[in-house]
């Protein structure tokens, strides 16, 4: 730094300010940066991390990055961090509780400044001094959780199906047994049906049962070549796609005989079209909110749950 | 470390060996680890990084993580690194050459142990002391490049179309103007056609022209409701999907009138089915090879290009 100060003809303190991103006159900043370039000076952020106790690194823990919702979440978290000069460490756990705990330990050992985690381990132990933001799962009031407005999304799906003329509604869900915010999709759906005094049925399955386990239920509810339901809300777009195909195999027409709404807002990789009518999660805002909460300096007054607004989009499996 | 040594009843050197992953008797390792756990001792990998000059962190630079090929590449690189106790820093550049250069600088400042990059900046400057593995693009003989056997894949696509009865072949490609290994898909295709003395045409477009720019060409080559080609090889699955839809709009039946093969091996997010008949990139092996080359201790004798074998899979846009 002394060499840079001499080369730039400025005080050592000025160089230090520029290197540490503290306010300094623009002309000074330019002179220091120019001198640093001439001398081939490279800031050692790593060593600086030890001194300032900041690494400008945040970790994102996901089960898997190949499902489109997770891929776009990672994309936006990476961009939101980059805009704040933070780097992203990506850790994938395949939803394994032990792997999740190991990830957190690894991240703590590497002194990341914080963690954004979408995890399935209800007993996850996180150092309370480490900033942590949870996606879709509440741990305790001190750990902020960010999710879409799942309850509101479930209500919206039921309302939309009724608006489109459906009379007998069905909710289908397959997923993890660990309780999470996304369970509220069904709660919101049921709440709306009860309030409007509409006939409805609900079928919740565990991941291990597999999507094929819905087939028997659907077949049992066929009467004279027609399904006993004319509106189906599926907890995810992936499930909705599978059910659409199952119905086609059973000779049920979508959306003529049965209308379907999924949840996520997944788009076809080549066209950008929706795969099905859907409740769209605001992935960009989810990511921004996670990063904002993670990097917030004052951690004494964080919300325990932030729900972001969802919206409906038609994607061919409803009449509108 | 002294406390741990005392708690475990072993010498200080033994504790040091265990913490630094050096060989030590299994019973000693267990005693030290148990004692460290009891005392709540946490290895500070970050500080250790400064001393050993290793951070056990590698960076992956990608343009974008949402296309399925990139998402699964990131997935496998993350897994391959984790199996070697390395963490992944993910940096996304939107194919912007300046962003790529900034990423590399950022990674150098954070002292990652190496970089795996899929980049579009032909003048990218990488510190030659920093292990770097390039995906799909050769920089110089000293920087190993890993890619699928693109040339062989292009040959395979042409052979397959001929085997399935096609007589007049067409190659379509849209992509970056920066030369790269994936350009060889077309080279392999042309080489096979010439060798077998088959009629063929080729149309290469720049990303900025957009996929719609193929429509005029296809329409010009319609004769009495039939396309002048009966076999099309598209440089990516995404392009193949778009062309299939364009042909459907023009009343051309796939695969009855025209057979199509794409390249990548993209699968539908909900079913795992291929989107089109395709040449599959061995993503898992690409990732493993990148990580192996990146972490290889002896860097004096690295290959300049490693091509991994591709395979054909039928996905509904060919007769088999």
């Amino acid at each position: 730094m002394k060499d840079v100060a001499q080369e730039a003809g400025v005080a050592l303190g000025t160089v230090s300010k520029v290197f540490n991103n503290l306010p300094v006159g623009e002309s000074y900043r330019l002179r220091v940066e120019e001198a640093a370039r001439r001398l081939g000076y490279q800031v050692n952020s790593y060593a600086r991390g030890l001194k300032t106790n900041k690494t400008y690194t945040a970790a994102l823990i996901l089960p898997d990055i190949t499902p489109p919702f997770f891929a776009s979440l990672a994309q936006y978290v990476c961009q939101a961090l980059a805009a704040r000069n933070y780097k992203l460490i990506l850790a994938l756990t395949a939803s394994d509780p032990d792997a999740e705990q190991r990830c957190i330990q690894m991240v703590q050992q590497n002194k990341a400044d914080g963690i954004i985690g979408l995890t399935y381990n209800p007993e996850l132990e996180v150092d309370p001094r480490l900033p942590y933001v949870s996606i879709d799962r509440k741990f305790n009031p001190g750990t902020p959780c960010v999710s879409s407005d799942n309850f509101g999304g479930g209500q919206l799906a039921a309302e939309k199906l009724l608006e489109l003329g459906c009379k007998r509604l069905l909710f289908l869900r397959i997923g993890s047994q660990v309780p999470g915010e996304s369970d509220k999709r069904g709660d919101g759906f049921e709440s709306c049906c009860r309030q409007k005094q509409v006939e409805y049925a609900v079928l919740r399955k565990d991941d291990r049962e597999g999507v094929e386990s819905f087939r028997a239920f659907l077949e049992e509810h066929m009467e004279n070549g027609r399904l006993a339901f004319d509106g189906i809300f599926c907890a995810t777009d992936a499930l909705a796609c599978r059910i659409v195909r199952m119905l086609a195999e059973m000779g049920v027409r979508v959306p003529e005989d049965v209308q379907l709404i999924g949840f996520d807002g997944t788009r076809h990789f080549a066209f950008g079209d929706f795969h099905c009518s859907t409740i769209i999660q605001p992935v960009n805002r989810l990511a921004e909110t996670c990063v904002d909460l993670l990097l917030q300096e004052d951690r004494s007054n964080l919300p325990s749950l932030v729900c972001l607004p969802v919206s409906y989009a038609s994607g061919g499996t409803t009449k509108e």
Side-chain angles (χ1 to χ4, degrees), chain A:
Chain A
M1 274 181 22
K2 270 186 207 158
D3 299 336
V4 175
Q6 196 163 18
E7 176 81 15
V10 300
L12 192 57
T14 309
V15 178
S16 168
K17 279 181 187 163
V18 172
F19 286 180
N20 287 293
N21 272 323
L22 296 171
V24 65
E26 193 53 26
S27 67
Y28 285 102
R29 177 178 306 278
L30 290 173
R31 271 161 69 186
V32 169
E33 287 178 352
E34 181 53 36
R37 238 191 318 275
R38 274 199 302 273
L39 294 173
Y41 179 94
Q42 187 93 255
V43 175
N44 184 341
S45 319
Y46 193 79
R48 194 164 68 185
L50 258 187
K51 218 169 166 184
T52 61
N53 220 14
K54 274 204 173 186
T55 61
Y56 294 94
T57 304
L60 175 65
I61 302 183
L62 288 177
D64 179 346
I65 203 175
T66 55
F69 174 71
F70 292 154
S72 78
L73 188 64
Q75 174 89 7
Y76 285 121
V77 168
C78 195
Q79 286 171 359
L81 287 171
R84 292 157 181 83
N85 283 318
Y86 270 72
K87 290 167 296 295
L88 173 74
I89 291 188
L90 179 67
L92 305 175
T93 60
S95 313
D96 174 40
D98 295 332
E100 289 170 356
Q101 192 61 60
R102 281 198 305 274
C103 268
I104 289 188
Q105 219 153 340
M106 175 197 87
V107 167
Q108 285 171 338
Q109 286 179 356
N110 204 50
K111 285 209 178 177
D113 295 345
I115 300 178
I116 298 171
L118 199 158
T119 57
Y120 294 84
N121 182 348
E123 277 133 35
L124 203 63
E125 283 173 38
V126 182
D127 185 335
R129 290 162 301 180
L130 187 72
Y132 191 98
V133 175
S134 174
I135 301 176
D136 278 352
R137 186 151 291 126
K138 272 201 273 190
F139 289 119
N140 54 57
T143 303
C145 171
V146 175
S147 80
S148 295
D149 181 1
N150 288 288
F151 193 90
Q155 288 178 305
L156 180 57
E159 275 164 20
K160 209 73 206 174
L161 289 170
L162 294 171
E163 208 181 294
L164 293 167
C166 300
K167 305 282 181 218
R168 286 141 303 144
L169 303 190
L170 172 64
F171 170 66
L172 299 179
R173 183 259 187 193
I174 189 161
S176 162
Q177 280 199 307
V178 182
E181 285 301 308
S182 63
D183 297 344
K184 295 183 182 166
R185 294 173 193 174
D187 299 332
F189 175 87
E190 291 198 58
S191 158
C192 176
C193 289
R194 278 194 303 266
Q195 199 200 320
K196 307 217 167 187
Q197 298 180 299
V198 179
E199 253 187 83
Y200 74 93
V202 157
L203 190 61
R204 291 184 170 89
K205 296 265 185 189
D206 184 81
D207 271 333
R208 284 163 297 187
E209 297 174 82
V211 174
E212 271 304 308
S213 62
F214 288 109
R215 193 184 291 270
F217 175 86
L218 294 174
E219 281 171 349
E220 276 162 29
H221 288 82
M222 289 293 285
E223 295 157 6
N224 308 320
R226 293 182 74 95
L227 191 66
F229 307 97
D230 56 2
I232 304 180
F233 171 43
C234 293
T236 64
D237 288 348
L239 179 58
C241 284
R242 300 284 294 272
I243 298 295
V244 165
R245 187 180 283 188
M246 230 175 250
L247 290 172
E249 287 160 4
M250 292 162 60
V252 176
R253 293 170 311 163
V254 173
E256 294 83 351
D257 303 333
V258 178
Q259 301 185 68
L260 261 111
I261 297 180
F263 201 109
D264 275 346
T266 314
R267 288 166 180 269
H268 190 289
F269 84 103
F271 310 114
D273 296 347
F274 291 110
H275 280 282
C276 55
S277 298
T278 188
I279 306 297
I280 304 173
Q281 300 209 57
V283 194
N284 194 349
R285 288 188 60 185
L286 285 172
E288 286 283 341
T289 306
C290 286
V291 170
D292 281 345
L293 287 171
L294 193 73
L295 302 186
Q296 202 161 295
E297 290 284 338
D298 177 9
R299 305 197 72 72
S300 62
N301 196 19
L302 292 172
S304 65
L305 177 64
V306 179
C307 291
L308 299 171
V310 295
S311 55
Y312 168 78
S314 172
T317 56
T318 48
K319 289 177 184 164
E320 249 171 62

